[in-house]
Amino acid sequence: MRILFTADWHLGYTLAGANPQPRLPDQRRNIDRIAAYCEEHAVDVLAIAGDVFEAQERGASRAAAYAMVDGLRAPLARGMRVVAVAGNHDRDYFIDTANIWLTAATRELGDARTARSSDLSSSNDQQQIIFRTKPDLVTVEAGGERMNFALLPFPTPYRYDLRHDDSGGVAQRNELLAKLFGEKMEELRKRSAEQRLPTVLLTHVTVTGTTVKAHRISPRDDVVIPRGSFPEFELTVIGHIHTPEQIGGAHFYYVGVLDRMDVAERDYDTRVLLADIGPQGVREITSLPLDPTPFAIVVAETEDDLAAQAKTIDRIDETLVKLVLRVPRGTYAAPFLDRARQLFPRLYGNVEMDWTDEDDTQTPAVEGLNPANVEDTVRRYLEEQQMPEDERDALMGLVHELRAKTLTEGDA
Ligand SMILES: [Mn+2]
């Protein structure tokens, strides 16, 4: 059975700030490439290891789901299945909605297919779109072979039935979640072993031993699972960490992000994994390249600098540019910004000001301030301040509330 693995699509995500840049066209270009791989290699299952959707409001969510179905039209019409787990960015209610939309859209494609040939009716008994927000073991049959997917979404209290008990705080909650995650994983392994089927673990979580931090989540909110607590499945494929990476010698992989999310990921070589799995496990596994969007940081002191740097960027119409202005405090920046917008069609986010008359010895209280993600930035600031834990938790609670309120107003 041939399975194509991918993760961290973040469909519908927009680079926010004063110069917002929607990413759906970049994502769609890479979905099209994935669809072409699926056809070229007659892929039976497309497996997505979490963070499939990240759209902030209804219109963008619908566009994201549509881009997915439309991009995957050919393999879906052929009968390819999609198996996915929810990541930390996937909202449970939206996954349920997406399940319905995708199933309906796929059924329309399928009707044309069944009209052409009737011998596919047995495979129609199985669900074609399998998105899970709760742990589950799913058997998939294709090309006369059967195998299991152990599906473990990113751990949240709701998904892993953790009864809420506020006495312990975030650290204890995460410890409990890690324990429940381990227990679920072992339970699925046992059930699968009884069926004597090869098993792929698909999940979205941080594993100890990775060198890179998870994308836009503070260590306080992240649940970390020790590598040693993973049972040996035939293949383990994980999302959440955006760099493609094999961990250790076993078939244990971070598949990597669909496309570079921001300038911090500008060196990532994006890819998907194509695996052929038989009754004895992995027959073959290969890495296929995606088409990452170029990113650049432009640091300029004068308008002439801007023009000179624009000339050094090859694919200027595609390149997402982060601009840093090195000017004396009080410089009138508007002409710079106008010029920058003309020169760099995909200038994104807020322009960073690096004041040249600033005292060099003064270091920022928190590294990598990100105006596009207020909550995470404030969280990281609070983490670095000396204060009692309960005070920090209370402050963070307020920030969370404020952000939830802003999002609700944004939705309306
Ligand atoms: Mn994630």
Side-chain angles (χ1 to χ4, degrees), residues 8-9 50 71-72 81 84 129 138 140 167 198 223 233 238 280 293 341 345 347 356-357 376 385 395:
D8 293 274
W9 284 20
L72 297 175
R81 295 201 183 79
I129 308 285
V138 171
V140 172
S167 56
V223 179
F233 291 96
I238 315 178
Q280 311 305 321
T293 302
R341 284 197 194 95
L347 180 73
T356 48
D357 48 358
D376 188 49
Q385 306 310 306
L395 275 170

Side-chain angles (χ1 to χ4, degrees), residues 8 51 88 204 240:
D8 293 274
D51 278 357
N88 51 309
H204 187 96
H240 197 41

Side-chain angles (χ1 to χ4, degrees), residues 8 10 50-51 87-89 154 204 214-215 217 239-242:
D8 293 274
H10 294 268
D51 278 357
N88 51 309
H89 284 281
F154 177 86
H204 187 96
H215 186 74
I217 187 166
H240 197 41
I241 306 291
H242 286 184

